Amino acid sequence: MAAAHPEFTVSSLTAALKRTIEGGFSKVVVEGEVSGWKRYPSGHCYFTLKDEGAQVSAVMFAGPYESCIARHPELADGLKDGAKVKVYGNVTVYPPRGNYQIVVLSAMLAGLGDLMQRYMALKSKLEGEGLFDPTRKRPLPFMPRRIGIVTSEAGAVIHDMCTVLTRRFPNLEIRLFPAQVQGADAPKTIIAGIEYFNSEDSGFRPDLLIVARGGGSFEDLFCFNDEALVRAVAASKVPTISAVGHETDYTLCDFAADVRAGTPSIAAEMAVPVLDELRSRLSTLDNGLVKTLRARYEWFAQRTDHLSSALAPALQARAADAAHRVEVLSSALGVALSARASDFSHRIDSLSAALGSSVVLNLTRRESEFERLRTKLAMLSPYSVLERGYSLTTDASGAVVKSAEQVSKGDMLRTRLASGEIVSEVR
């Protein structure tokens, strides 16, 4: 008969495992890469140790952490995601969750983890190309009307961003390009979103582009360190905000973008001003301008009154002098005009008499010449001989007939006499 299998409750099984693990694995040194490092206000630090095959949760309470930092100050900046460390501590079981963890008593740096090494190598390469140069950064538009967002359509990020954007500046045009923000396929979907908003064919060319994702571990955010994606962010023709993770998270997209925002909500706040604040500011400026203009107007009015009072006596004296000069000049002008008018009248009378004599003499000469020419023309006219009994014969075309050979039988002829004409036909 088979031996009876041991029976446990969940609590008794967990307690048995706790005794076994904590008894056999106390005071151990474990080497691994830090991921998900988080220090809370209490001073306790929680993170994950991992390698290529497994991971384990770890906690370093405030006391051991402060003691460790006091002995090794470099750990203050060195304990972070991607760091390769050796930790010394106890392996414990946490019954409420049924998982085991390492309670770290001390730690020391052992270099960079694989992901961090890849991160630093690519960062150095792109920095050398000038991709992160501050002179390449463009200022964000002060008051964009269209905003494109590349992020996941699921989760709170897009909801929070839209809430902040529309609260600060209503009536914005916002368009989402849904993309994967974690995993191996994430970079190409994010690149597709960037290219979509940069395309003239998209039908929606934004004034501002935001690439966003919520918080996560170093591994979760590592897709935003993809080289092709970083280059796409840097090449964007639309000013771009990178809002990936939390304040302490830095990805290479943050360095390539025109502006980095600590969180997606901060990006939304940076993107647009508060409309009510703008209205209030404009109202204040408007009131200030009105007051300034009123004060300037009053100053000029007072200055004008002062100058008017000062100039009045001088203007009156100048006006009296000018009036006197006008009277003198008017009298002199009247005398001069009268003399000139008399002279012109006398000259007109003389010219009129001379013109009359000249016209009469010229007409007499013209009439005599006309009669001479008329007599000469009458003597030379072919029609004058008709009065002496001669005649003038022409053919149908009007040509003068001088010989019988010019006409033929049947031709019509016209014979001009001193009085009338005869029409005849050649027979």
Side-chain angles (χ1 to χ4, degrees), residues 109-272:
L109 295 177
L112 296 176
D114 293 337
L115 286 181
M116 181 57 72
Q117 289 181 21
R118 288 165 53 192
Y119 173 91
M120 296 304 296
L122 182 56
K123 183 173 183 289
S124 178
K125 172 186 174 181
L126 298 180
E127 277 181 332
E129 294 179 13
L131 212 66
F132 304 153
D133 192 332
T135 59
R136 298 182 69 256
K137 310 295 185 181
R138 295 163 293 184
L140 301 182
F142 170 68
M143 195 163 54
R145 300 299 301 169
R146 289 180 163 190
I147 295 179
I149 301 176
V150 180
T151 190
S152 171
E153 61 185 334
V157 169
I158 185 62
H159 175 268
D160 292 345
M161 293 182 69
C162 289
T163 299
V164 173
L165 288 169
T166 55
R167 183 184 70 242
R168 291 172 65 87
F169 205 95
N171 301 322
L172 280 172
E173 292 186 63
I174 303 171
R175 181 168 294 185
L176 167 69
F177 187 95
Q180 297 180 39
V181 291
Q182 184 173 334
D185 294 332
K188 65 181 180 183
T189 65
I190 300 171
I191 291 171
I194 295 171
E195 291 176 345
Y196 169 80
F197 285 122
N198 276 270
S199 171
E200 298 290 346
D201 300 330
S202 67
F204 185 88
R205 184 66 182 270
D207 304 310
L208 180 65
L209 174 61
I210 302 176
V211 177
R213 165 215 150 118
S217 67
F218 186 67
E219 292 82 357
D220 294 339
L221 305 181
F222 201 76
C223 60
F224 290 90
N225 298 318
D226 178 82
E227 181 174 357
L229 173 55
V230 176
R231 292 187 183 278
V233 170
S236 174
K237 298 176 183 177
V238 181
T240 304
I241 299 177
S242 175
V244 180
H246 295 306
E247 286 280 7
T248 56
D249 298 320
Y250 278 84
T251 67
L252 296 182
C253 282
D254 295 334
F255 297 110
D258 294 298
V259 173
R260 173 192 179 263
T263 66
S265 295
I266 293 175
E269 293 176 355
M270 297 169 64
V272 292

Side-chain angles (χ1 to χ4, degrees), residues 16-28 91-93:
L17 291 173
K18 180 178 175 65
R19 289 191 300 271
T20 302
I21 292 173
E22 291 181 357
F25 296 93
S26 62
K27 306 298 185 291
V28 295
V91 180
T92 65
V93 174

Side-chain angles (χ1 to χ4, degrees), residues 330-350:
S330 294
S331 299
L333 182 62
V335 172
L337 289 175
S338 296
R340 295 286 287 175
S342 177
D343 180 57
F344 278 124
S345 177
H346 177 70
R347 290 183 64 189
I348 288 171
D349 290 341
S350 298

Side-chain angles (χ1 to χ4, degrees), residues 66-99:
E66 291 172 359
S67 298
C68 192
I69 296 299
R71 293 194 305 272
H72 305 285
E74 70 277 6
L75 290 174
D77 296 323
L79 283 176
K80 59 184 179 181
D81 285 0
K84 195 170 185 180
V85 297
K86 287 184 178 181
V87 300
Y88 166 76
N90 299 316
V91 180
T92 65
V93 174
Y94 184 60
R97 292 185 181 173
N99 62 345

